[in-house]
Amino acid sequence: MTDDPEITLYRLQGCPFCERVVRVLQDNDVPYRSRFVEARHSRRDAVKRLTGARTVPALIDERTGVTMSESANIVDYVESTYGQREQEVVSE
């Protein structure tokens, strides 16, 4: 396993939607790096360049090539893509 996580989460300090995604990543033992963004929506140009919108949370998964926004979508993605790790280990 590499020391550099393949998932980057763009988030805002104190954002409950961002914390929801963090919790799901941690619950599924998915390594990630956090990139905290500007509080002012109009200054989130880095996020807009990557996702097409300035909203957070935003997730980029270099392993699968997925880039997405919206916490509910990200949670579904993480659970469907990485949530099976524990079950696969148990099945083997």
Side-chain angles (χ1 to χ4, degrees):
M1 185 173 195
T2 180
D3 291 339
D4 195 22
E6 294 177 333
I7 291 182
T8 302
L9 177 64
Y10 288 83
R11 59 195 275 212
L12 182 63
Q13 190 72 35
C15 166
F17 301 105
C18 299
E19 294 307 313
R20 177 181 179 204
V21 172
V22 166
R23 207 168 33 256
V24 169
L25 288 165
Q26 291 173 343
D27 288 349
N28 288 285
D29 295 321
V30 178
Y32 68 96
R33 78 177 65 81
S34 288
R35 298 282 188 245
F36 288 93
V37 301
E38 293 283 338
R40 290 187 56 189
H41 197 265
S42 63
R43 292 196 175 172
R44 296 183 197 158
D45 293 332
V47 176
K48 184 172 183 182
R49 279 192 301 275
L50 296 166
T51 68
R54 288 186 170 104
T55 59
V56 289
L59 179 133
I60 298 176
D61 187 342
E62 294 173 23
R63 184 179 71 86
T64 62
V66 168
T67 299
M68 62 176 30
S69 298
E70 301 297 327
S71 62
N73 295 339
I74 295 171
V75 166
D76 289 344
Y77 169 77
V78 169
E79 288 177 342
S80 66
T81 305
Y82 296 100
Q84 300 301 316
R85 285 181 171 182
E86 188 173 302
Q87 289 179 0
E88 287 175 6
V89 171
V90 171
S91 299
E92 292 178 353

